[in-house]
Amino acid sequence: FAGATRVATGAAKPAVVPAPRPMKVETAAPVGDSESPAPAWAPVPPVVGELSIVDLRALALHTTATLTELSLTVRAHALAGAQSFEELLAPAQLVGVVSHAYQLETVRRVLRVLRGRALLADEVGLGKTVEAMITLREYQLRGMVRRALIVTPGPLVRMWAEELQSKAGVVVRTTDDPQFATDPEAFFAGEGVVVASLSRIRSARYAPIAQSKPWDMVIVDEAHHIKSRTTLGHRLVDGLTSRFLLLLTATPVETDLEEIYNLITLLKPGQFATPTAFRKEYVDTKDPTSPKNRDRLRALLGEVMVRNTRAQCGLKLPPRFVTTVVVEPSPEEQALYADIVSLMRTFGAEARARVVAATLLLEAGSSVPAVRATLEKVARGEKHSAAFRNALAALTTPDGVGTPSRKAEKLVEIVRSHGGHALVFTRFRETQAFVVDTLRAAGAKVESFHGGMTGAEKHAAVERFRADRSVLVATDVGGEGQNLQFCSLLVNYDLPWNPMLIEQRIGRLHRMGQTEEVRVFNLCAKGTAEERLLDVLDRRVHLFELVVGEMDMVLGNIANEEDLEARILSLYAEAANDTDVQSGFDALADELLAARGRYDHTKALDEALFGDDYET
């Protein structure tokens, strides 16, 4: 195969080799005998066309060639045709992935026409990640990729790792692993797939190490983060050596047309000559967002870019309706919440105490049993100061664990009125157990689903849920990677303070394949952080009105990159009173409104440039 080409100095196209007669490849086990094993990186099937291993042994009896020589001949024939891509091998090997026709056609175009170097610019929610994963696996199965690097925003590292593991059976190394910090040279040196946080590997410490050895394939997710040549992220990718390169972004242009120049030049240097020549020929001097010679520009983009739209694909998700349900907590629950807020303010300056107080504040927005479990755990240890332990001991949790809270009563009411499948999400295992007991006491069929279950147990629970039209009560960890489009009711019993996690919960149901209207109920107690957050997200910024994936785009436009959960916790720890807390939420709302405005502008710009009629 053609060697790697350095992105910074130019990416030569692989030589085009006349393809032999296509040969059907069905599995990835090597052909060969004990004397001549196939290399582990070069998967060759035991069945090629109509020839099985048994056929090869029979054929060997009627020729002077040895079985080894025949095996090598068949292997050479398969590898010679590897780049013809007449038949895609990867889709049949993915688990839990329903590939749409437009996605498979995109993969074929990337493999056969664009030679593995492409900008995937599908509209939000159409599955660019699936297209990239299929492309990666296609190259791996053909022995053409042994070292792959996936660069993504930090919050998406875990998602990529879990998607590759659960759907493709690919075990990856991530920048969350201890080896990344302790031995980065070894971390980046080996074969396999690395999933790396852009914010971490673009630094002066890690970028030279990542760039020091060639990669067979590089995938950059949310590539609009590297659209400027002056950013460390752009310099990182520009300095990587790779044969294949995929850039994924739904918004390749955000502020001016030169951004598309910068992205395309990473993929195909020289496609638009110099920046000066690009501006002169394609950019209106009076408006840097307005293109000149639009047809010529689109033609050149079509040589390196694929953009699918909902209109083209004929895909339209049914609507989703999100309702905030605020319940009045009992006097005892109100008192407990107020005491925990006070605890947070009193001990917020003590690192260890702040962690516990923050956990209790999150749990107080979920359920009393969750709070009680943490109090009991801390009471058994001696890691904290006597003053803090005394303050914890003074907290009183309402009695009667088996008695439903008012939020639990509202949940039972919602589930009963729906009458079909219902998915209930919670953050804490203790809350999950409490909700399961409450629903069963109310006569509902309930399945439990959490991260402590084995894969087989999870599968069995989902199948029972599907067959019995029951209620599935899941934790966030347990629900990751599950597609439950047969269900159309979601109840968030408690809420993550990160809106992207809320969107991921909704995305388990509201995704391609859903045929019914999706109804989402967000439960929260009056006067809690959850009520304030929902007021910002729902009533003031209207983030839940966006289609799947757009919330991530809005949050990516926030100037302050600090995690929202950490910001909210800081509000409660550092604010002198509730008025200060509310002022902090008002400021957060202003930031989100500005971020949404920037996204809406970007979306309009992309639609004006590319349009629904973009031809690839």
Side-chain angles (χ1 to χ4, degrees):
F1 305 114
T5 55
R6 189 168 181 78
V7 175
T9 58
K13 287 185 176 180
V16 179
V17 180
R21 180 176 63 85
M23 303 188 73
K24 185 177 180 182
V25 181
E26 298 184 356
T27 70
V31 174
D33 54 27
S34 59
E35 297 177 358
S36 180
W41 57 268
V44 178
V47 179
V48 181
E50 300 301 324
L51 288 177
S52 67
I53 291 179
V54 175
D55 296 327
L56 287 173
R57 294 187 184 279
L59 183 60
L61 297 176
H62 300 85
T63 179
T64 57
T66 66
L67 181 59
T68 297
E69 290 170 335
L70 284 172
S71 299
L72 292 174
T73 300
V74 173
R75 184 179 298 117
H77 191 86
L79 292 177
Q83 297 191 69
S84 65
F85 303 108
E86 291 290 340
E87 181 180 354
L88 296 181
L89 312 179
Q93 299 204 7
L94 298 180
V95 177
V97 176
V98 178
S99 303
H100 294 266
Y102 73 88
Q103 293 174 322
L104 298 180
E105 187 55 37
T106 294
V107 172
R108 291 189 182 95
R109 179 174 175 78
V110 170
L111 296 172
R112 302 179 65 180
V113 179
L114 305 182
R115 302 293 183 181
R117 301 184 71 85
L119 173 61
L120 301 185
D122 292 359
E123 282 187 331
V124 172
L126 291 184
K128 293 181 292 295
T129 301
V130 171
E131 294 167 354
M133 184 164 56
I134 294 175
T135 303
L136 169 63
R137 289 297 294 143
E138 201 69 34
Y139 281 135
Q140 286 181 320
L141 291 171
R142 297 168 188 268
M144 301 168 72
V145 166
R146 286 178 284 179
R147 280 173 42 80
L149 172 65
I150 299 173
V151 182
T152 182
L156 300 181
V157 168
R158 182 174 175 181
M159 182 277 291
W160 266 98
E162 291 174 345
E163 289 283 289
L164 286 169
Q165 171 65 47
S166 63
K167 293 180 170 56
V170 176
V171 179
V172 306
R173 306 189 299 280
T174 81
T175 46
D176 293 335
D177 297 344
Q179 187 191 34
F180 171 69
T182 58
D183 191 355
E185 296 279 355
F187 176 82
F188 285 113
E191 294 188 354
V193 178
V194 171
V195 181
S197 165
L198 174 63
S199 62
R200 300 190 72 180
I201 70 165
R202 69 189 178 191
S203 68
R205 177 184 179 188
Y206 296 114
I209 304 174
Q211 296 167 338
S212 63
K213 293 187 178 181
W215 300 90
D216 298 318
M217 185 172 195
V218 171
I219 298 172
V220 182
D221 196 9
E222 306 294 347
H224 46 275
H225 291 297
I226 63 167
K227 65 185 184 299
S228 172
R229 293 193 304 275
T230 63
T231 61
L232 292 175
H234 186 94
R235 294 171 185 171
L236 166 76
V237 177
D238 190 44
L240 293 171
T241 300
S242 65
R243 180 187 180 190
F244 306 120
L245 174 63
L246 298 181
L247 304 181
L248 282 55
T249 176
T251 55
V253 177
E254 292 188 306
T255 57
D256 63 68
L257 290 173
E258 195 165 334
E259 294 166 352
I260 194 72
Y261 169 88
N262 295 334
L263 292 177
I264 297 302
T265 302
L266 287 173
L267 293 161
K268 194 176 181 181
Q271 180 76 347
F272 289 122
T274 65
T276 301
F278 176 81
R279 288 192 296 269
K280 182 178 180 180
E281 186 167 0
Y282 299 111
V283 182
D284 188 332
T285 56
K286 297 179 181 179
D287 182 0
T289 65
S290 178
K292 297 190 302 184
N293 299 323
R294 189 168 185 255
D295 291 341
R296 170 65 176 160
L297 175 61
R298 286 157 65 89
L300 289 174
L301 289 175
E303 295 178 8
V304 73
M305 172 178 165
V306 181
R307 181 177 176 84
N308 295 302
T309 66
R310 290 183 181 81
Q312 286 176 325
C313 303
L315 294 177
K316 187 176 181 180
L317 283 175
R320 69 182 183 192
F321 301 95
V322 181
T323 303
T324 295
V325 180
V326 182
V327 301
E328 187 75 31
S330 67
E332 294 83 3
E333 289 172 327
Q334 288 180 341
L336 175 63
Y337 197 89
D339 288 344
I340 291 175
V341 170
S342 178
L343 185 79
M344 185 75 175
R345 291 172 184 164
T346 302
F347 295 94
E350 298 181 19
R352 285 185 176 178
R354 178 167 173 156
V355 170
V356 175
T359 300
L360 289 171
L361 188 62
L362 287 163
E363 291 171 336
S366 178
S367 72
V368 172
V371 173
R372 183 179 289 111
T374 296
L375 291 177
E376 292 173 352
K377 180 178 179 181
V378 175
R380 292 193 296 267
E382 297 182 356
K383 295 181 179 179
H384 302 282
S385 66
F388 182 65
R389 283 188 279 116
N390 289 336
L392 292 181
L395 293 176
T396 57
T397 56
D399 294 328
V401 177
T403 302
S405 68
R406 292 177 181 175
K407 191 162 66 169
E409 291 172 347
K410 178 59 68 173
L411 171 64
V412 171
E413 178 184 321
I414 293 171
V415 169
R416 280 177 172 168
S417 64
H418 181 67
H421 293 104
L423 174 62
V424 181
F425 261 119
T426 179
R427 183 169 184 166
F428 303 101
R429 289 282 292 276
E430 294 79 11
T431 301
Q432 182 192 43
F434 168 68
V435 169
V436 167
D437 290 343
T438 299
L439 288 171
R440 285 177 177 164
K445 293 182 179 179
V446 185
E447 294 295 335
S448 185
F449 195 95
H450 55 77
M453 299 167 66
T454 66
E457 289 170 337
K458 290 180 180 179
H459 177 75
V462 170
E463 290 308 306
R464 289 193 298 269
F465 173 47
R466 186 196 306 269
D468 296 341
R469 295 182 65 82
S470 56
V471 182
L472 183 69
V473 183
T475 61
D476 288 305
V477 174
E480 288 171 342
Q482 299 296 319
N483 299 326
L484 305 169
Q485 297 95 319
F486 58 86
C487 176
S488 60
L489 173 66
L490 168 65
V491 182
N492 286 312
Y493 192 82
D494 52 34
L495 284 161
W497 292 354
N498 184 336
M500 280 195 279
L501 296 179
I502 301 175
E503 178 70 8
Q504 287 174 15
R505 286 181 174 184
I506 298 173
R508 303 278 67 84
L509 279 65
H510 194 234
R511 61 193 303 122
M512 289 181 290
Q514 178 60 260
T515 60
E516 300 182 23
E517 295 179 350
V518 172
R519 298 194 174 274
V520 179
F521 291 90
N522 295 320
L523 300 183
C524 64
K526 186 176 180 180
T528 61
E530 290 75 20
E531 184 197 14
R532 287 184 163 123
L533 180 62
L534 283 172
D535 178 67
V536 170
L537 299 181
D538 193 4
R539 185 181 67 82
R540 299 167 70 175
V541 185
H542 306 293
L543 284 187
F544 294 122
E545 295 177 1
L546 300 172
V547 301
V548 174
E550 286 189 308
M551 186 182 292
D552 293 2
M553 303 299 295
V554 171
L555 295 172
N557 276 313
I558 296 179
N560 188 336
E561 295 184 355
E562 184 182 7
D563 182 75
L564 288 185
E565 182 172 303
R567 291 181 62 181
I568 294 172
L569 288 172
S570 294
L571 279 177
Y572 279 92
E574 298 165 11
N577 50 50
D578 283 348
T579 300
D580 290 345
V581 171
Q582 187 57 51
S583 295
F585 276 96
D586 291 341
L588 176 60
D590 291 340
E591 286 186 48
L592 286 171
L593 282 169
R596 170 145 193 187
R598 287 190 291 270
Y599 172 69
D600 289 341
H601 172 75
T602 297
K603 185 178 178 181
L605 177 60
D606 284 346
E607 289 175 351
L609 176 61
F610 305 116
D612 286 341
D613 61 339
Y614 181 75
E615 299 290 341
T616 56

